[in-house]
Amino acid sequence: MELLGILSPPWWLLLLLLPALLLWAMHRSPWEPHKCPADLTGKTVIVTGANSGIGKCVAMDLARRNARTILACRSQERGQAAVEEIRAATGNPAVVLRLLDTGSLASVRAFASAVLREESRLDVLVNNAGVTGLPFAITSEGLEQTFTINYLGPFLLTNLLLDLLKASTPARVVNVSSFRHSVGTADSAFLTGQRCPGGYDAAYNSTKLMNVLFTAELARRLEGTGVTANALSPGVVSTSIMRHFSWPVRALFSLLRPFMKSAEQGAASTIFCAVSEEAAGITGKYFDSSCRLALPSAAARDAALARKLWEASERLTGLTEQGHPPAPPPAAAGAA
């Protein structure tokens, strides 16, 4: 009886409430997309990797804001299913699918050519597509597949669409990174597989560091153009990104799901960077999963490293051979 008395309210109630409060605090964001009044009527947006997870939630939100929403997906079947779902949920008929595999530079070029041919403007580009858990492999183009999908493909895509973004100002580039960038290494030899970072996690972490470095250098090169570029972390989110891992890892991931954000919650920081008034005019920055400005790792703030990575990426994607406009000289105070 004494034991029953101890377990009766309020102690038993507190034992139930504490985990619930912990989960609520972890998932809560001070900025909520549904409270943002931004209207994108007459604007065009592209979201890569938009057939599932965070990308689909971002595309859903932008379509609700009346944007012409282009889902850039690798799978025709899954991409078209997402298009139909978003059209039905938002009532926006201007939601379309365009095939894109960021792991293939040829696919990136074909996609960009179609966009430049068919679209008169581009107001927001969301580089969301990404993978983890893929084995080390060299593509037919001589590039390592994870680094190409997560970093080099988006790098090329953004550069090919820059003129259209500049013609549509104010415009935004949003690069989805991760808090795990802080333990990554930005070695350009990883891009061609000359060196291997040492595992699935290490490869993913390094691509996310490269995303932040790319964002910083892109913002520097775009100063004064009216196009902003920012990177962000969505937080720890329950999505299908772990599908390439072994079943024990996926099982552990499933056990931890109650402590993770949903895809919809994880999309908040991406949507914040894409449409919020608070982010307007901010460029070259990194936002955390609570939509707050955060200081990225020391490596991510290395301007010399960012320029070196950019130059290597230009060579590997062939942008230098295309007569890509030269970079502005670095500011004296920004030399690393």
Side-chain angles (χ1 to χ4, degrees), residues 94 145 157:
Q145 63 175 350
L157 176 64

Side-chain angles (χ1 to χ4, degrees), residues 217 220-221 307 310-311 314 324-330:
E217 180 64 8
R220 186 182 75 81
R221 291 169 181 249
R307 288 194 295 273
W310 183 287
E311 290 163 1
E314 275 190 324
H324 205 61

Side-chain angles (χ1 to χ4, degrees), residues 91-249:
N92 183 348
V95 179
V96 297
L97 172 66
R98 296 288 182 268
L99 294 182
L100 170 66
D101 178 2
T102 58
S104 162
L105 299 190
S107 175
V108 172
R109 292 185 188 283
F111 175 88
S113 294
V115 169
L116 295 175
R117 185 172 61 251
E118 299 168 6
E119 304 297 333
S120 61
R121 63 181 303 116
L122 177 58
D123 301 271
V124 181
L125 170 63
V126 178
N127 287 311
N128 165 78
V131 295
T132 186
L134 290 180
F136 177 87
I138 304 300
T139 70
S140 60
E141 296 169 315
L143 303 168
E144 203 290 317
Q145 63 175 350
T146 296
F147 282 89
T148 306
I149 294 169
N150 290 6
Y151 165 68
L152 207 54
F155 171 88
L156 176 60
L157 176 64
T158 304
N159 275 282
L160 293 176
L161 296 178
L162 277 184
D163 286 343
L164 187 57
L165 285 160
K166 290 175 185 177
S168 310
T169 54
R172 307 188 191 190
V173 177
V174 180
N175 294 325
V176 178
S177 181
S178 168
F179 65 92
R180 287 166 58 183
H181 82 272
S182 62
V183 290
T185 303
D187 187 337
S188 59
F190 293 162
L191 302 176
T192 55
Q194 292 172 284
R195 280 199 284 274
C196 180
Y200 303 151
D201 281 351
Y204 179 81
N205 299 340
S206 295
T207 64
K208 293 306 171 182
L209 172 58
M210 290 178 178
N211 291 151
V212 182
L213 288 165
F214 161 50
T215 302
E217 180 64 8
L218 176 64
R220 186 182 75 81
R221 291 169 181 249
L222 289 173
E223 285 180 6
T225 65
V227 181
T228 61
N230 291 294
L232 64 100
S233 169
V236 182
V237 185
S238 175
T239 68
S240 61
I241 195 170
M242 300 294 288
R243 63 189 180 277
H244 297 294
F245 279 86
S246 63
W247 73 263
V249 175

